[in-house]
C-alpha cells in the first residue's frame, strides 16, 4: 500500500511588498503570523508563515514576499485558488469586513452544503472563504480584527487547474492516497482521510487554459501532510519507484520536505507535522522577531541588512507589550 496523506499541510505563494502582505493576512484575513524567517534557498527575502495560534498543519498559508515582484499569470499547472474554512452563515459578515478595508468580494457559490466568497489579495492571489454546512471543529485564532465566531478555521481546500486531469487524478489517488468524492463535467473533488475542510483538493479540467507563470500573485506549491520523517522517507522511495523526480529530504527547520511535480505541472510538497513552530521561540512570541536556521546564523547581520523593515500589529502577540 502507498503512503497516504492525512490532508493539506500548507500552501506557499509569492507576494509583493512584505508589509502590505502582513497587513492583509493579519488584519484583513485575521490570521496569525507564526514565523518570520527567510527563504532558506534565497535568504535575501522573507518567508512569512500565517496560521492559527500555533501554526498547526492544515492552517498554514506562507509567502515569499518581494517588493516590486513581477506579476505572475494564474493558469494551468498551478493551484489557482486557495480556500479557507469559515463558519456557516458568516459570509455576510466577511463581505462587510472586506468592504470596510477596500477589498472587493463576491459570493460565487450558494447551496445548502457550501457557500463560497471569492476575493483577491493585494497581489492578485485568488482566495475563497468557504462556509460549509458541516461544522469545522478546529479552533480559530481569535484576533482583534476578526472575532472567533467568524474567524478562519484553517485551510478548506486547494483548487488545481490542469489541461488534462487524468494524470493529476492518478497521482492524487494512486500515489497520495486521496479518493474521489464527487465529479461534474469539468471538476473533480478528492479528499484525504476522513474528508472535510483541510482535506480537500479540487481539480478543474481546462484544456484551453494558458500555462500559468509563477511570480507575484500566484501559488508556488501546495504541501500535503505526513506525520514524521520516517513516513516521509518511505513515501519518497515509493514516488521514485513510480517514476517521479523527487528532491532529497530538505530541512525546513519547522518540518522536513520533499518536492515533485505531478503530471499536470503543479508542484507538490510532502511536509512533516513535526517539529513545529515553537522550537525557537515561545508560543506567545511567535512571529515577533526574525528566526534563522543554524546554518544561516553566521550571516544574520548581512541578512537583516538586506531585508525591508516590517511592523506587526499588536493583535499578533496580544499578551505582550510593547507591540512591534
Amino acid at each position: 500500500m502507498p503512503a497516504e496523506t492525512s490532508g493539506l499541510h500548507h500552501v506557499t505563494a509569492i507576494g509583493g511588498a512584505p508589509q502590505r502582505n502582513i497587513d492583509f493576512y493579519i488584519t484583513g484575513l485575521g490570521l496569525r503570523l507564526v514565523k518570520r524567517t527567510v527563504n532558506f534557498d534565497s535568504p535575501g527575502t522573507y518567508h512569512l508563515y500565517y496560521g492559527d495560534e500555533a501554526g498547526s498543519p492544515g492552517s498554514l498559508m506562507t509567502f515569499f514576499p518581494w517588493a516590486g515582484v513581477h506579476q505572475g499569470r494564474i493558469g494551468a499547472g498551478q493551484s489557482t485558488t486557495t480556500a479557507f474554512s469559515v463558519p456557516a452563515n458568516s459570509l455576510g459578515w466577511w463581505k462587510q469586513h472586506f468592504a470596510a478595508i477596500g477589498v472587493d468580494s463576491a459570493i460565487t457559490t450558494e447551496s445548502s452544503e457550501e457557500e463560497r466568497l471569492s476575493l483577491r489579495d493585494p497581489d492578485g492571489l485568488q482566495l475563497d472563504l468557504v462556509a460549509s454546512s458541516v461544522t469545522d471543529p478546529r479552533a480559530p485564532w481569535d484576533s482583534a480584527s476578526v472575532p472567533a465566531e467568524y474567524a478562519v478555521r484553517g485551510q478548506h481546500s486547494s483548487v488545481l487547474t490542469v489541461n488534462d486531469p487524468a494524470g493529476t487524478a492518478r497521482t492524487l489517488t494512486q500515489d497520495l492516497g486521496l479518493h474521489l468524492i464527487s465529479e461534474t463535467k469539468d471538476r473533480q473533488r478528492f479528499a484525504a482521510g476522513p474528508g472535510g475542510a483541510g482535506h480537500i483538493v479540487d481539480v478543474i479540467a481546462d484544456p484551453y487554459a494558458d500555462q500559468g507563470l509563477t511570480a507575484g500573485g500566484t501559488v508556488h506549491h501546495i504541501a500535503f501532510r505526513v506525520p514524521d520523517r520516517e513516513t516521509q522517507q518511505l513515501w519518497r522511495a515509493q514516488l521514485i519507484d513510480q517514476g517521479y523526480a523527487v528532491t532529497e529530504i530538505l530541512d525546513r527547520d519547522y518540518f522536513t520536505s520533499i518536492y515533485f511535480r505531478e503530471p499536470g505541472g503543479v508542484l507538490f510538497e510532502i511536509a512533516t507535522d513535526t517539529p513545529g513552530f515553537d522550537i525557537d521561540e515561545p508560543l506567545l512570541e511567535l512571529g515577533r522577531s526574525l528566526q534563522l536556521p543554524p546554518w544561516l546564523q553566521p550571516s544574520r547581520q548581512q541578512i537583516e541588512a538586506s531585508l525591508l523593515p516590517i511592523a506587526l500589529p499588536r493583535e499578533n502577540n496580544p499578551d505582550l507589550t510593547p507591540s512591534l
Side-chain angles (χ1 to χ4, degrees), residues 221-233:
H221 63 266
I222 69 169
F224 296 93
R225 295 177 62 176
V226 67
D228 51 42
R229 185 164 178 153
E230 181 180 6
T231 309
Q232 187 180 60
Q233 289 172 327

Side-chain angles (χ1 to χ4, degrees), residues 4 25 31 53 86 89 125 169 188 220 246 268 272:
E4 296 182 1
Y25 282 92
L31 303 180
E53 181 181 19
V86 297
N89 303 313
L125 189 71
Q188 296 172 302
H220 186 268
V246 188
F268 283 173
T272 58

Side-chain angles (χ1 to χ4, degrees), residues 2-16:
E4 296 182 1
T5 180
S6 55
L8 297 171
H9 188 282
H10 68 267
V11 173
T12 293
I14 298 175

Side-chain angles (χ1 to χ4, degrees), residues 43-73:
T45 188
Y46 288 108
H47 193 175
L48 304 177
Y49 291 80
Y50 304 93
D52 63 12
E53 181 181 19
S56 306
S59 75
L60 294 163
M61 182 84 187
T62 95
F63 284 89
F64 302 130
W66 279 283
V69 68
H70 293 296
Q71 190 66 29
R73 181 177 62 245

Side-chain angles (χ1 to χ4, degrees), residues 65 69 116 141 160 229 302 304 323:
V69 68
R116 189 173 290 255
W141 170 242
L160 314 183
R229 185 164 178 153
Q302 300 96 302
E304 289 181 338
S323 62

Side-chain angles (χ1 to χ4, degrees), residues 73-225:
R73 181 177 62 245
I74 297 174
Q78 291 179 338
S79 175
T80 48
T81 302
T82 300
F84 294 92
S85 172
V86 297
N89 303 313
S90 67
L91 295 189
W93 183 91
W94 277 104
K95 190 166 178 55
Q96 290 183 342
H97 170 71
F98 286 128
I101 61 173
V103 176
D104 293 331
S105 64
I107 294 178
T108 56
T109 301
E110 291 184 273
S111 71
S112 58
E113 293 82 26
E114 185 177 289
E115 290 186 301
R116 189 173 290 255
L117 183 72
S118 296
L119 62 142
R120 290 182 183 267
D121 83 353
D123 294 300
L125 189 71
Q126 179 64 53
L127 305 175
D128 282 357
L129 299 185
V130 178
S132 172
S133 59
V134 179
T135 300
D136 188 337
R138 294 175 292 178
W141 170 242
D142 187 5
S143 76
S145 58
V146 181
E149 62 188 294
Y150 306 114
V152 168
R153 267 49 182 173
Q155 296 282 343
H156 177 272
S157 54
S158 282
V159 178
L160 314 183
T161 298
V162 295
N163 294 137
D164 182 354
T168 304
R170 185 171 59 250
T171 297
L172 291 172
T173 55
Q174 296 182 13
D175 301 312
L176 301 185
L178 282 75
H179 50 280
L180 179 67
I181 59 173
S182 65
E183 185 171 12
T184 61
K185 180 181 178 181
D186 60 357
R187 192 181 189 109
Q188 296 172 302
R189 172 163 285 189
F190 300 87
H199 302 83
I200 297 169
V201 175
D202 288 339
V203 176
I204 293 176
D206 186 347
Y208 304 108
D210 291 335
Q211 288 297 302
L213 174 64
T214 303
T218 66
V219 169
H220 186 268
H221 63 266
I222 69 169
F224 296 93
R225 295 177 62 176

